[in-house]
């Protein structure tokens, strides 16, 4: 199974692709992109949509997974992340690929064994699980790989499209 993980955001959006076979995981690709705060919102969302659509076309994942947003009290950030999430969901829908979401605490529990792990700990565990030479940077790419790992290792009954 090939899983594309996305850490959505309009300023910075991370992605990570893992391949699972017989319980073994390997990293296929990971990275991130930024959009300029000075750019019009619709153009920023178009960039996110196009980049996700291109990743789906290039890698043909069996599933796309998102880390659910944890925003706290900042309504402006929540709106921005929600818009990025929408662009990702539309790219998935148009490509006919199921999309699932996981809470950050569940992702951290799956990857680190502790639902309140710090970002650095997530980066180190993703590196160890995937056998990477160095922790993936920035944290957006590590978070995207982590959510992909979470889905790839989840029991089939937990893999419900969201």
């Amino acid at each position: 199974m090939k899983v594309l993980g996305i850490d959505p955001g309009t300023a910075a959006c991370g992605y990570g692709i893992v391949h699972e076979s017989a319980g073994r995981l390997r990293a296929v690709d990971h990275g991130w992109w930024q959009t300029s705060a000075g750019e019009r919102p619709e153009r920023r969302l178009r960039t996110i949509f196009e980049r996700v659509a291109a990743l789906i076309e290039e890698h043909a994942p069996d599933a796309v997974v998102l880390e659910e947003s944890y925003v706290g009290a900042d309504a402006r950030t929540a709106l921005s992340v929600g818009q990025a999430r929408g662009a990702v969901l539309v790219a998935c829908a148009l490509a006919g690929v199921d999309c699932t979401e996981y809470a950050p605490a569940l992702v951290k529990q799956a990857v680190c064994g502790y639902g309140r792990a710090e970002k650095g700990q997530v980066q180190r565990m993703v590196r160890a699980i995937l056998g990477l030479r160095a922790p993936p940077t920035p944290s957006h790419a590590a978070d995207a790989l982590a959510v992909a790992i979470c889905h790839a290792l989840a029991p089939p009954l937990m893999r419900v499209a969201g």
Side-chain angles (χ1 to χ4, degrees), residues 3-143:
V3 182
L4 167 58
I6 301 286
D7 180 27
T10 52
C13 189
Y15 69 90
I17 303 164
V18 299
H19 185 266
E20 183 274 333
S21 180
R24 298 179 73 91
L25 294 174
R26 71 174 175 85
V28 175
D29 193 11
H30 66 277
W32 69 299
W33 60 85
Q34 291 180 288
T35 62
S36 170
E39 194 173 14
R40 295 190 48 83
E42 63 272 19
R43 290 196 176 119
R44 296 175 85 183
L45 295 173
R46 180 179 176 173
T47 297
I48 294 164
F49 167 82
E50 288 174 345
R51 297 274 177 98
V52 172
L55 286 169
I56 292 171
E57 185 175 334
E58 178 182 350
H59 295 282
D62 299 297
V64 176
V65 293
L66 298 170
E67 184 171 276
E68 288 178 353
S69 302
Y70 173 76
V71 183
D74 188 350
R76 181 169 272 179
T77 301
L79 177 61
S80 177
V81 171
Q83 290 173 337
R85 182 181 162 274
V88 172
L89 292 173
V90 171
C92 292
L94 289 175
V97 179
D98 287 339
C99 193
T100 304
E101 294 184 82
Y102 292 94
L106 182 61
V107 173
K108 291 175 181 180
Q109 179 70 37
V111 172
C112 299
Y114 177 57
R116 298 180 75 178
E118 299 291 325
K119 287 204 173 282
Q121 191 176 358
V122 172
Q123 287 176 294
R124 290 187 299 276
M125 287 305 297
V126 165
R127 178 193 128 327
I129 290 167
L130 297 175
L132 301 173
R133 291 184 183 169
T137 57
S139 62
H140 303 293
D143 289 347

